[in-house]
Amino acid sequence: MESKRRATVEPASFQGEAYSAVPLDAADNGNAARNPDAVHNGHKPHVMDAERFHDSSERILGAISKVIDGKADAAKLALTVLLAQGHLLLEDVPGVGKTLLAKTLARTVDCTVSRIQFTPDLLPSDVTGVSIYNQSSRQFEFRPGAVFANIVIGDEINRASAKTQSALLECMEEHQVTVDGHSYPLALPFMVVATQNPIEMEGTYPLPEAQRDRFMARISMGYPDRDAEIEMLETHQAVSPLAKVTPVVTANDVAAMIATVQQVYVSPAIKEYTVAIGRATRESARLRLGASPRSLLQLLRAAKATAALDGRDFVLPDDVVDVAESVLAHRIILDRKAASAGDTPQTVLRGVLASLPVAQEPPGAWRRDKQSA
């Protein structure tokens, strides 16, 4: 029986309709979804030139800054995660703009958006979809769930049961949904932006390590500074500025920006430095669980997006350091002694980064060797 719960507030255009796409197991053995970098809307995205990439990113960040006062770093990191094909976890106290940031980012892109309000009675089928028997055709039809959108906003994700949370695991990792033995591809680009409140934990189901590891980065919004808060009181009284946000780029533009980020060059020294960071966390006496191999891959992807947003086609060690805390802090677990001593994952990571030497390369060594490329 089809669930009657309202899982979405801003549904995708095809939400609740019979899903007409061919299941992955019936076409090409699912290779397209398992390789999400291959195609977008049936064709390979074109790489943007530097000027157009800069213009598109500035338009997105400019639109976000008109709604979210004093949070330029959080806005840039959210865009970084989108361009690196990752997923974002917004974790902070209520009322600091977590959901507002997620909705603003979604509205700057002309693509499908859905919002899921996670509650204890939410079912996995509300997220992924369900097969319904059609009396007239005498066949089962797949009704897509809220996850079938380009950007999925999961509000208070830790309010849902572990079973419902786990419904997102396949979606986030493989960009596909499997229901009743059939796999269905998700549209690209695809990004999950989830929020949670770390303070009030009554009646919540904390995200397990496997679920947290699917999120590329975690952002703590924090309170705005004095001037930004006064500006918010001036501009947000009569009407929310979110109502005035209109798309500034298309989904095809985002796909092209993602393709551009994938072309950013990473030197062997940068790869060695990234691996050294991961191994140092695993060997740290203050950590019970270090960074996973998946987290190092996502760290490098985030560093490539950071470099592209800074106008470079190559990664510097500073790019890795800039995103290391946001990408790794939510994945590592403190040792009991370190936690009782007042350490945090952030302080441990800062110590690890400070202790690792950065290879001193000659000028231009970080750039791609054009003759060998």
Side-chain angles (χ1 to χ4, degrees):
M1 181 178 293
E2 186 176 5
S3 172
K4 299 298 184 182
R5 295 179 179 83
R6 291 190 176 183
T8 58
V9 175
E10 298 174 16
S13 58
F14 47 82
Q15 178 69 28
E17 302 173 1
Y19 191 60
S20 59
V22 179
L24 291 175
D25 48 355
D28 197 29
N29 296 322
N31 291 330
R34 294 188 182 93
N35 182 19
D37 303 339
V39 295
H40 173 72
N41 292 338
H43 65 277
K44 189 173 182 179
H46 297 291
V47 176
M48 277 188 176
D49 59 70
E51 183 178 352
R52 188 181 171 198
F53 184 95
H54 175 76
D55 179 65
S56 298
S57 61
E58 285 299 310
R59 278 188 281 136
I60 295 174
L61 294 176
I64 296 176
S65 67
K66 294 178 181 178
V67 179
I68 308 293
D69 297 309
K71 294 298 176 184
D73 291 340
K76 182 179 178 181
L77 185 56
L79 179 57
T80 298
V81 174
L82 174 62
L83 299 183
Q85 291 186 289
H87 308 287
L88 182 64
L89 180 62
L90 298 170
E91 184 179 276
D92 216 318
V93 298
V96 294
K98 302 187 298 296
T99 305
L100 188 61
L101 174 60
K103 295 178 72 172
T104 305
L105 175 64
R107 290 196 182 188
T108 61
V109 182
D110 187 15
C111 63
T112 56
V113 180
S114 66
R115 179 171 177 260
I116 310 172
Q117 184 64 55
F118 281 84
T119 55
D121 63 343
L122 192 71
L123 298 177
S125 58
D126 294 324
V127 177
T128 60
V130 64
S131 295
I132 302 296
Y133 184 73
N134 190 321
Q135 293 276 4
S136 59
S137 65
R138 298 181 181 274
Q139 291 182 341
F140 281 93
E141 294 180 348
F142 178 63
R143 304 279 178 167
V147 78
F148 281 84
N150 294 116
I151 298 180
V152 179
I153 302 173
D155 214 0
E156 296 189 271
I157 189 174
N158 57 334
R159 292 286 174 188
S161 66
K163 185 176 182 179
T164 301
Q165 291 174 4
S166 65
L168 287 171
L169 289 175
E170 180 186 18
C171 312
M172 296 171 67
E173 183 66 19
E174 301 178 40
H175 292 194
Q176 68 179 35
V177 171
T178 301
V179 177
D180 295 335
H182 296 286
S183 296
Y184 302 91
L186 296 173
L188 298 177
F190 175 70
M191 179 184 186
V192 174
V193 184
T195 71
Q196 68 174 2
N197 171 19
I199 305 300
E200 202 274 298
M201 301 299 291
E202 183 178 352
T204 63
Y205 303 81
L207 291 176
E209 286 77 11
Q211 188 84 15
R212 292 204 307 268
D213 201 50
R214 295 305 201 277
F215 288 97
M216 174 174 284
R218 179 183 65 179
I219 298 178
S220 293
M221 298 287 291
Y223 292 106
D225 57 37
R226 178 180 177 277
D227 293 338
E229 203 157 10
I230 292 175
E231 179 68 19
M232 180 196 69
L233 296 179
E234 290 286 342
T235 58
H236 292 209
Q237 287 189 58
V239 62
S240 171
L242 184 64
K244 300 179 180 179
V245 177
T246 57
V248 294
V249 295
T250 66
N252 287 333
D253 289 334
V254 173
M257 294 175 75
I258 290 172
T260 304
V261 168
Q262 292 170 354
Q263 299 300 313
V264 173
Y265 175 68
V266 181
S267 69
I270 293 293
K271 297 174 184 176
E272 293 174 3
Y273 181 57
T274 303
V275 171
I277 293 174
R279 297 183 68 85
T281 62
R282 298 168 201 159
E283 297 168 359
S284 173
R286 294 190 290 171
L287 295 178
R288 181 161 57 91
L289 179 68
S292 67
R294 180 195 287 120
S295 67
L296 299 185
L297 178 61
Q298 296 198 350
L299 176 60
L300 205 55
R301 288 178 178 173
K304 292 170 67 174
T306 300
L309 289 173
D310 287 343
R312 283 179 280 104
D313 63 352
F314 59 94
V315 176
L316 293 174
D318 287 346
D319 298 323
V320 179
V321 174
D322 286 345
V323 295
E325 190 172 313
S326 297
V327 173
L328 301 180
H330 64 288
R331 305 169 187 269
I332 61 179
I333 299 178
L334 290 174
D335 180 79
R336 187 174 301 175
K337 292 182 179 179
S340 61
D343 283 332
T344 64
Q346 289 82 358
T347 58
V348 173
L349 276 174
R350 291 167 194 160
V352 167
L353 293 172
S355 65
L356 289 176
V358 179
Q360 298 298 319
E361 297 287 334
W366 308 116
R367 301 174 182 269
R368 188 193 307 268
D369 185 351
K370 300 299 182 182
Q371 295 181 350
S372 62

